[in-house]
Amino acid sequence: MPKLKVDGIEVEVPQGATVLQACEAAGKEIPRFCYHERLSIAGNCRMCLVEVKPGPPKPQASCALPAADNQEVFTTTPMVKNAREGVMEFLLINHPLDCPICDQGGECDLQDQSVAYGKGHSRYTENKRAVTEKYMGPIVKTIMTRCIQCTRCVRFAEEVAGVEEIGAIYRGEDMQITSYLEQAVTSELSGNVVDLCPVGALTSKPYAYEARPWELKKTLTIDVQDAVGTNIRLDSRGRQVLRCVPRINEDVNEEWAHDKTRHHVDGLVRRRLDRPYVRRDGKLVAVSWDEAFGVIKDRVAAAGSNVATVAGDLVDCETMYAAKALLAKLGSTKLEGRQTGLDYDTSSLAAVNFNTTIAGVEQADAILLVGTNLRWEAPLINTRIRKAIKKGAKVFAIGPETELTYKVEWLGADLSLLGNLPEAAAKIFMDAKAPMVIVGGGALKGGHGAALAFAKQFNLVRDGWNGFNVVHMAASRMGGLMLGYAQKGGIADLRDAGVTFFLGADEVDFTAFGGFKVYVGHHGDQGAHHADVILPGSTYAEKSGTWVNTEGRVQRGERAVFAPGDAREDWTIFRALSEVLGHTLPFDTLAGLREAMATEVPALRHVGQLAGYEWNPPALDSAGQGTLAGYPIKDFYLTNAICRASPTMQRCSAELVHGETFAEAAE
């Protein structure tokens, strides 16, 4: 490990570290534009210049210079200061200096660093260069005259997203960043280039001209668009969420978020349920809470203990526990969270968990994907597989061929392949030090037992390594399974219930339910259309809640805004309803509910930690049955009620999934 001095401070850094990293370790802030910790080194901008001895008598780019023993680095000498001021002057020669109308204002690296190293006036008197705008799709807005050619976006598209659709054309001063044939960027991770761009060249199109960062209230919470549990920050003004950006969590999402996470927020204020409704003579009529509760009371009295609850994909653990506690008072255990009809074995939670952990995927050296399109089901797990491949991992897949952004050896679509791998693939898994299988929702029905047999055959579970993984698509899934939201026969066991509560469940086949339907949710989607009573609830942004991601990590989000109209937090609805039904629940605060919930399921108490399910797989039929015809997600951008209400997600679906074209007016 090299030892060196930075401005007289001695530091020791790992082998292979750069001088810039050594300076950071010494507590010295080095300005940079092109350098990013998660991307390859480009050395384009030259803003990170430092003086190094021994070495040539000129400033050197610290981002590309390896740290070595006995180096002396100086970051504040007159040579360094003059060099950085010169670089900044060149960078601003062609920049339009339009900070007052730029969406990056207040969060702009160029703005911040020009204050430190820029001049008060320009010596440049020639005409400035201008660049025509480039079209990058419905997510990214471009004003390319501001571009300083740092190439962060190019490297992200190639290295992280795996979609090589952003690049540079021409050379020197004429260089321009553009998308391939100026078409929409098809990556589901394209929105990350907005965060990466250090200037205002790439900004968020849906958020354009909406707000300034200093007028927004910032709330830390958890994303519910998939089961990864991306850590996010919601920026709101008044009662509306205007922006969603990722937070850094190395164990979960690193610092990325997919486009659905970022841009579903305009759906939070559209198609909202803001008052109770009761169906009378075939039409939904707005009523008071007391009237709605009165109707439910009569129906529950007639149904007795024949009451059920179906949990939707976005529901928090608190809501599910409150509904479960009420049903227990009524004498029912009919709970189900797999709303689309799956009925796999849940006797062992480890057998339906992502045991390797999301970060652990990077250590795998042989990976088998079974019935999963990770690019749509869990994009941020897909990026981890790309990192594993860079370390030498081999990837095989069973299922219909699709583009996953990396090299995959497709074995076929028959689930019987799990017990009969081709000889070459079997040898790789036999010799692998960290083999892994990922089973998707599409394969759980006919391939769950076969996948467990595969794990046993190739010793996927060993000391210090568990390579058996199931990837879920619903944010509520693992929390629901921990709370007992699973029947042996799946949702089919609930169809004869006299009264069924649907907790934001919009993907259910409602025609199969003949009883009385109560919908507790926030959007006027399928559930509301089929309901006999609607009780308006809150979205994840309007309540504090607990969610458990696909690897069993317990995470908690906070409320950013208040629900509209008469809508209430979902658990409070069940608490109020319990009084009307004569079975008052034993908690009347969120803290009291969480304590009762943690008493029943202790793992839900430990926020930020893995639940740690014991490996005790069930004995299931080891023969894989059936041929996979497709994957569960048909449209990445319209997977839930919030997304279907979002104009941005509708536009993404139309353009990126269905190939529609849009003509945009010139600005």
Side-chain angles (χ1 to χ4, degrees), residues 63-77:
C63 70
L65 185 67
D69 269 324
N70 302 319
Q71 276 181 332
E72 285 191 74
V73 181
F74 304 93
T75 67
T76 56
T77 60

Side-chain angles (χ1 to χ4, degrees), residues 136-156:
M136 289 193 181
I139 296 296
V140 181
K141 178 181 172 65
T142 64
I143 303 178
M144 300 312 292
T145 304
R146 299 171 184 162
C147 178
I148 60 170
Q149 289 89 41
C150 71
T151 68
R152 278 187 183 182
C153 53
V154 178
R155 285 174 284 147
F156 172 84

